[in-house]
């Protein structure tokens, strides 16, 4: 209806902002790899696209894993989560490496929020190890290894989604 305020996005509802720079993200991915090095070796890395592509590249490089596959899932339309759509499943070759259940495979994503995306991929590969860089409380139980937990009412801003811009001084009402 005309005049009605639009429904707030997940990002707006979150309230708190947690901006992450490229430097910070690289450091956090390296820290994640230190932990994963104790758990592996892994036959292959499965990146949950698109957000999982960047950490997957860094983690695979550090762990010396050269086989990387993707599972392509879309859910958030900018900031609002809708139904999950699997646009591309895990390849037959990667499935074979994981013995059909994901044993010895490493699933990587940038974060878990509600856990819906992670849950879906875990169902595809029940024996795989699931790692994310960041975790919110609702999704955290699904993850085997992560680096930083933020509260559920925090929105994480990734460096590939953001750009440097002018920020007004506090005195002028900046948050
Ligand atoms: O735990 P959940 O509530 O399911 O949310 C986490 C997922 O949401 C984001 O992906 P998104 O669907 O926005 O797609 P993208 O990776 O292509 O940005 C993020 O990269 C995770 O994959
Ligand atoms: O950039 C993002 N930041 C988040 O906190 C988040 N949660 C779900 N999907 C997300 N995407
Ligand atoms: Mg994603």
């Amino acid at each position: 209806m005309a005049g009605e305020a639009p429904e707030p996005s997940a990002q707006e509802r979150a309230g708190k902002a947690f901006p992450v720079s490229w430097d910070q993200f690289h450091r956090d991915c390296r820290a994640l790899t230190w932990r994963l090095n104790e758990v592996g070796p892994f036959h292959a890395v499965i990146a949950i696209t698109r957000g999982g592509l960047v950490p997957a590249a860094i983690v695979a490089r550090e762990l010396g894993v050269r086989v990387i596959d993707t599972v392509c899932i879309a859910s958030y339309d900018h900031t609002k989560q809708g139904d999950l759509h699997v646009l591309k499943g895990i390849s037959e070759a990667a499935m074979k490496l994981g013995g059909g259940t994901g044993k010895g495979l490493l699933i990587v994503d940038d974060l878990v929020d509600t856990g819906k995306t992670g849950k879906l991929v875990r169902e595809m590969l029940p024996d795989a190890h699931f790692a994310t860089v960041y975790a919110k409380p609702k999704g955290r139980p699904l993850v085997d290894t992560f680096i930083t937990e933020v509260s559920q009412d925090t929105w994480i801003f990734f460096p590939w989604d953001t750009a440097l811009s002018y920020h007004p001084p506090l005195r002028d009402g900046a948050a």
Side-chain angles (χ1 to χ4, degrees), residues 48-52 73-79 81 84 109-119 139 142 152 155 158 160-161:
I48 304 180
T49 75
R50 295 160 301 182
I73 298 182
S75 71
Y76 287 84
D77 174 11
H78 297 293
T79 50
Q81 192 171 34
L84 299 187
D109 207 351
D110 50 359
L111 80 130
V112 275
D113 187 321
T114 62
K116 285 184 190 166
T117 307
K119 184 169 177 280
L142 284 159
Q152 200 66 43
W155 192 261
F158 290 101
W160 51 88
D161 283 334

Side-chain angles (χ1 to χ4, degrees), residues 7-18 76 79-80 111 113 136 150-157:
E7 209 188 311
S9 65
Q11 184 182 321
E12 285 162 344
R13 268 185 281 122
K16 294 180 200 152
F18 183 79
Y76 287 84
T79 50
K80 197 172 168 193
L111 80 130
D113 187 321
K136 299 188 193 180
V150 301
S151 60
Q152 200 66 43
D153 61 352
T154 295
W155 192 261
I156 302 168
F157 288 92

Side-chain angles (χ1 to χ4, degrees), residues 64-136:
V65 177
R66 290 196 177 261
V67 181
I68 302 173
D69 193 18
T70 55
V71 55
C72 304
I73 298 182
S75 71
Y76 287 84
D77 174 11
H78 297 293
T79 50
K80 197 172 168 193
Q81 192 171 34
D83 295 337
L84 299 187
H85 298 286
V86 180
L87 305 173
K88 178 205 154 282
I90 297 146
S91 75
E92 227 176 272
M95 270 296 191
K96 219 170 179 183
L97 281 174
T101 63
K103 199 165 166 45
L105 301 186
L106 175 64
I107 304 164
V108 175
D109 207 351
D110 50 359
L111 80 130
V112 275
D113 187 321
T114 62
K116 285 184 190 166
T117 307
K119 184 169 177 280
L120 186 64
V121 180
R122 289 222 82 141
E123 282 164 7
M124 297 175 189
L125 298 170
D127 292 336
H129 191 92
F130 183 31
T132 63
V133 189
Y134 306 112
K136 299 188 193 180

Side-chain angles (χ1 to χ4, degrees), residues 160-173:
W160 51 88
D161 283 334
T162 52
L164 285 179
S165 66
Y166 175 75
H167 197 256
L170 266 185
R171 203 190 50 182
D172 298 342

Side-chain angles (χ1 to χ4, degrees), residues 34-70:
W34 275 100
R35 292 197 184 157
L36 294 171
N37 202 29
E38 308 287 311
V39 184
F42 298 104
H43 308 306
V45 168
I46 314 293
I48 304 180
T49 75
R50 295 160 301 182
L53 284 167
V54 182
I58 298 166
V59 165
R61 187 267 179 186
E62 296 300 333
L63 293 179
V65 177
R66 290 196 177 261
V67 181
I68 302 173
D69 193 18
T70 55

